[in-house]
Every structure is written in structure tokens, then in C-alpha cells.
Amino acid sequence: MVDFLLAPLLAVAALTEAVDPGHPTGRGLDGLGIALALMVGAPFAVHRRWPGAALWAVGAAAAALQARHSIPAPVAGGGATIGTVLLAVGAAVFLTTVRYGRCPTYQLLAVTALAAGSTEILIAPADSIGSALTVDILVVAAWALGCLVRARRAIAAEALEHAAALKREQVALARTAVVEERARIARELHDIVAHHVSLMIVQAIAADRVQTTDPAKTRELHAAIEATGRATVAELRRLLELLRTEEDEAVAGRSPQPALADVPPLLDSLREAGLSVESTHLGTAHPLPAGTELTAYRVVQEALTNTLKHAGHTRAAVTFDWQPHGLTLTVRDDGPLTPATTRPVPPGGGHGLVGMHERVAAVGGTLHTGPLAHGGFLVRAELPLTPSDNQTDYSR
């Protein structure tokens, strides 16, 4: 916008100076003179794109106007005159110094000053030295001012970047402190929950032993188990709130966690994205713990999402092999068949293979992944019917 406003302004100013009959060497203004006067301002319209070319075009037009005596020389009749046309040359030098990318400013100054001085010596032989010095002083002043503006902009940009880096560092330190404090509190709450659960198990064993001989004591133990269970649930909620991240709060919210019943809609969404998926069930389905069902869903989601991302619109197969001891879940694909398009990919459920390994291990299962000999990729998760956590014998 500045360039488009500056171009007509300087062109009109050059025309006004060229038609001024006040200078003694004036010869009037013909068609060529009008074109040269317009050329003094026109290059500024494209100066931001081609700063060097615009500078030389303005300088050439100004030199041609002075050579044709359409404008006064810088030094004439014993006095120095800096007209509008020479000011346009100075403005071109200033803007070029400010904008010239990785600016070789000293080379620009030397070449511009030499060209301006040599031109004045050639076209103003009467006062050649004075005219050359005047133009060179104008060029040096415009160059110095441009360097100053450029340096101030660089300092301001560096200060903004430094401030942004400090802010990012402060945010990272604050998040680290929050995570460390949450981890400490979570360890303390874990100990409390473990104690409550152990106490509930001991009370349940005791209630079972006295339920036939002392009903009153049994009711007392059951009431204690209920109270301890409520306290445990409250502590677990606190623990989960501490472990919940900002991303989890933004994405998950209060929506229910998915289970195996949600796998068919997931496969439908992947088919709409271009993946050919087949689902097979072997054996008789057994009820699984909620955490295990969630893990199975996430494994299918992450494996097929990775297939769509890395193999494109290929074929994939999901097999649910139900066995007495648990579920063996297999996801395999045929590898890249056609290049993937830019169609939207359904969101994944974790952080790739590492996330799947962590989820499966958390429920006591095992995960095997790797490429197939004939091409494609295989993900096999073996999920137990009951989590294989370490158990403590409370009956002793």
C-alpha cells in the first residue's frame, strides 16, 4: 500500500518540478520528458518485489531528466539544490537498503555512490565536482538512514523472539512443576487407595468367616466395607483427576469411553475414508473388564489408523479370536496398493506402537507387531480375561 501510494505521489512531484520554468536551464517538457518524469515514480509500485531494479530505474530516469536539462542540476549558479527528483533517488536508496533481503549494504552504497557521482560529472561539467559531492552525500545519508531502520527492526524482532522464548520456557517450567507435584500427590493417593483396598479384602474375608456365627459382626464388617469402598472411590477420583492432562480434558470431556460394541461404527468410518476392512469373530465371546475392552478398541483404532496413514487405500482384516482365557486380537493389512489421498483420516487413539504396547501391558496382555514377509503389517494383541496383576494373599 505504501509503494502504490508513493509511486503516483513522486511521479506527480517530478512532473511539477520538470515543468517549473523557474530554473535557468529549463527547456520545457516534451513527450519524452513527461515519460521520464513518470518513470521517476512508477518503479516504486514494484519496489518491494524488485528493489534493486527499481533503484536503478529511478536513478536512470533522474539522470536522463538532468541530462536533458528538464530539471536543475544539484549545484547551479553557486548554490546547491536538492529537488524532488533527487529526493526520489534518495527514497529509492533508503527503501532498497531496508528491504534488500540479506542486504550487501556496503556494496550497494559503493556502487550507487560511484554511479551517481560519475553521472553528475558527465552531465554537469560546469559544476561537476559539486554536483557529484551533493548527490553522493544524499546517497550516503539515505543509505545510513536505511541501515539504522533495518538495525532497529532487527533489534525489535530479536527482542520479540527473546520474549517469546522466555514465555515458552516459563510455561514449560510451570508445566514441569505441575507434573512433578501431581506425580508426588498421585503416589501418596496410590498408597492410600492400596491400603483401603487391602483393608476391604481383609474385612470381606473376616465377614465370610463369621457370617454364620456372628450376624451382627458380619453386618458391622459389611458396613465397614461399604464405607471403605466409598472412601476408595473418592480417592480414585482424585487420583484420576490429578493424572488427567489438559489434552485429555479438551478431547475426552465427560463422554463415555468406547468399548468393543463401538468397533463396527469405527470400521464404518474407516471404510468411508477409503480403507477396505473386514471383521471376523472366532469362538464364543466372553465378557471382558471395561479396561480390557477399551484397550481392544484402542488397538483396533490405532492399528487401522496407522494403516490408512502409511499404506493408503489398502485392504485390512480384523480378527477377534475368543478363547477361554481371553481374547486374541489380530489386525493385518496388505501394504500400500494405491497412493493415499488427502481424504480425512479418523483420529487415532494414542501415540502409535508405543501407546499400544503401554495399553496392552497395563491390562496384563502382550503385543506383537511387525511387517509380514509377503508385504503388509501385523498387529496381534493377546488380552487376558482377567488382569494378571500381582496379588497378595490376605487370608494368612
Side-chain angles (χ1 to χ4, degrees):
M1 183 62 68
V2 172
D3 291 348
F4 278 108
L5 292 177
L6 194 61
L9 178 64
L10 290 177
V12 172
L15 282 172
T16 303
E17 182 180 10
V19 300
D20 182 12
H23 58 86
T25 59
R27 52 169 292 178
L29 197 62
D30 53 10
L32 179 59
I34 294 176
L36 291 174
L38 293 176
M39 277 300 300
V40 172
F44 283 93
V46 294
H47 187 278
R48 186 173 295 273
R49 179 181 287 268
W50 299 293
L55 170 63
W56 301 125
V58 172
L65 283 173
Q66 186 177 341
R68 299 180 76 253
H69 302 289
S70 297
I71 59 172
V75 176
T81 302
I82 302 296
T84 306
V85 174
L86 289 181
L87 288 178
V89 174
V93 173
F94 167 77
L95 291 177
T96 303
T97 305
V98 171
R99 296 174 175 174
Y100 212 107
R102 298 179 59 184
C103 180
T105 54
Y106 292 103
Q107 294 90 326
L108 174 66
L109 173 64
V111 172
T112 306
L114 180 62
S118 302
T119 301
E120 290 298 330
I121 291 175
L122 292 175
I123 64 178
D127 299 295
S128 58
I129 302 300
S131 296
L133 288 177
T134 301
V135 174
D136 283 345
I137 290 174
L138 175 66
V139 169
V140 171
W143 170 83
L145 184 59
C147 289
L148 177 62
V149 172
R150 186 180 181 85
R152 290 178 66 87
R153 288 183 177 180
I155 292 173
E158 184 178 357
L160 289 176
E161 178 62 27
H162 183 64
L166 285 178
K167 186 176 181 179
R168 291 193 296 268
E169 183 179 359
Q170 291 174 355
V171 171
L173 291 176
R175 288 181 176 175
T176 302
V178 169
V179 170
E180 291 177 354
E181 184 63 16
R182 285 184 174 183
R184 183 186 66 81
I185 299 174
R187 286 192 296 269
E188 296 175 354
L189 291 178
H190 174 270
D191 295 339
I192 296 174
V193 170
H195 170 72
H196 285 171
V197 173
S198 301
L199 181 59
M200 290 170 60
I201 295 175
V202 171
Q203 291 170 338
I205 295 174
D208 181 67
R209 290 180 177 178
V210 301
Q211 64 179 347
T212 56
T213 60
D214 192 351
K217 184 63 176 179
T218 302
R219 288 192 295 271
E220 181 182 345
L221 289 172
H222 286 165
I225 292 173
E226 180 183 358
T228 306
R230 293 181 183 276
T232 303
V233 170
E235 296 296 340
L236 280 174
R237 286 176 178 172
R238 291 180 58 197
L239 179 61
L240 293 177
E241 288 295 332
L242 283 172
L243 297 179
R244 187 184 297 273
T245 63
E246 295 178 0
E247 181 180 355
D248 294 334
E249 294 174 357
V251 175
R254 296 294 181 180
S255 60
Q257 295 290 354
L260 288 178
D262 299 305
V263 170
L266 171 66
L267 299 183
D268 291 338
S269 66
L270 288 162
R271 292 187 185 104
E272 292 177 358
L275 185 65
S276 177
V277 187
E278 295 181 358
S279 177
T280 305
H281 288 263
L282 304 177
T284 304
H286 301 289
L288 294 176
T292 305
E293 285 206 23
L294 174 61
T295 298
Y297 177 89
R298 293 303 187 194
V299 168
V300 175
Q301 182 186 40
E302 191 67 39
L304 292 179
T305 301
N306 287 342
T307 296
L308 190 56
K309 287 181 180 178
H310 301 297
H313 295 173
T314 186
R315 292 185 297 270
V318 181
T319 304
F320 296 88
D321 188 2
W322 294 93
Q323 301 171 359
H325 61 275
L327 170 65
T328 299
L329 176 61
T330 304
V331 182
R332 68 176 70 216
D333 63 69
D334 294 343
L337 299 179
T338 58
T341 65
T342 58
R343 297 183 66 178
V345 178
H351 300 281
L353 298 180
V354 175
M356 284 193 284
H357 275 285
E358 291 180 353
R359 285 184 177 275
V360 173
V363 297
T366 57
L367 182 71
H368 305 278
T369 62
L372 298 172
H374 60 277
F377 200 83
L378 172 68
V379 175
R380 175 182 289 114
E382 297 178 359
L383 305 175
L385 184 60
T386 57
S388 59
D389 297 335
N390 293 329
Q391 298 181 355
T392 302
D393 186 3
Y394 295 95
S395 60
R396 291 181 298 175

